[in-house]
Amino acid sequence: MRTWILLAVIYTLSALAQSADLVQRTYRCAGGVQVRAVYQNQFDRVGVVFGGQTYGPLFQVEAASGVKYSDGRASWWVKGSGSTQEAQLMSERTGKILARGCRPLR
């Protein structure tokens, strides 16, 4: 199982890294946990690494505010910009917020 997860992480990040318009950000979330987000194609998709798992690719979907990415199983929702930017990662299957209050590291 661990080997499969590691291969999935490597494959996803490698696929994302092949794009010329790649932006990587690390976020520090509530409780001190970190999330790594790899945005691709002018921010219409993202891969998120958290707690040893890779989520994505998540595709941009309609949101009441901010920018939300989803694949129907997980969502990454970013609101604000600059110093006020905040994000959260949520399991859409369970409705549980996996990481909240995530702010980009500068």
Side-chain angles (χ1 to χ4, degrees):
M1 180 72 166
R2 279 188 167 165
T3 302
W4 184 86
I5 291 171
L6 179 58
L7 289 174
V9 168
I10 291 169
Y11 174 78
T12 300
L13 293 178
S14 295
L16 290 173
Q18 292 176 14
S19 173
D21 54 350
L22 178 74
V23 176
Q24 297 181 46
R25 290 201 177 118
T26 301
Y27 295 80
R28 183 172 314 276
C29 307
V33 299
Q34 286 193 357
V35 172
R36 181 172 171 211
V38 182
Y39 298 92
Q40 182 186 24
N41 293 336
Q42 299 178 348
F43 297 91
D44 72 347
R45 75 179 74 176
V46 66
V48 177
V49 179
F50 169 71
Q53 290 191 319
T54 299
Y55 300 88
L58 307 175
F59 296 92
Q60 191 170 344
V61 297
E62 189 173 330
S65 64
V67 182
K68 185 175 183 182
Y69 303 88
S70 175
D71 67 355
R73 295 179 300 244
S75 64
W76 176 247
W77 198 345
V78 182
K79 297 180 182 181
S81 63
S83 64
T84 65
Q85 186 179 61
E86 190 169 308
Q88 73 176 26
L89 178 64
M90 183 177 102
S91 168
E92 292 186 2
R93 290 181 174 171
T94 65
K96 180 181 177 184
I97 296 176
L98 304 173
R100 72 175 72 231
C102 303
R103 296 193 176 268
L105 297 176
R106 303 282 177 220

